[in-house]
Amino acid sequence: MKQSEIKELSVAELQEKLSEVKKSYSDLKLAHAISPLENPIQLRSVRRSVARIATELTKRDSQ
């Protein structure tokens, strides 16, 4: 998920998206532990999406 897409979402949508992406990340980690993923770089991109969304939420809370 790109930063420009994240900025367009409301706080409620960001919180919902964060929970979805975190669940997706945990599912990917579990699948990777059982058998290697075809594209392990996918883990990194999902983890970074979690960080982007969490950063945007923190930024909006401080304002």
Side-chain angles (χ1 to χ4, degrees), residues 1-59:
M1 183 167 229
K2 294 185 179 182
Q3 190 65 27
S4 59
E5 296 171 353
I6 293 172
K7 287 183 178 183
E8 294 173 0
L9 299 175
S10 69
V11 174
E13 290 171 331
L14 282 173
Q15 290 171 340
E16 182 180 322
K17 192 64 140 172
L18 182 62
S19 65
E20 290 174 11
V21 175
K22 278 185 175 182
K23 179 162 178 17
S24 169
Y25 180 64
S26 65
D27 291 344
L28 279 173
K29 277 185 16 180
L30 182 62
H32 187 61
I34 294 170
S35 64
L37 292 175
E38 185 175 315
N39 184 8
I41 303 301
Q42 189 178 13
L43 284 169
R44 179 171 51 185
S45 67
V46 174
R47 186 175 64 239
R48 288 181 178 176
S49 291
V50 169
R52 283 188 188 103
I53 294 169
T55 301
E56 183 66 24
L57 279 170
T58 303
K59 185 173 111 179

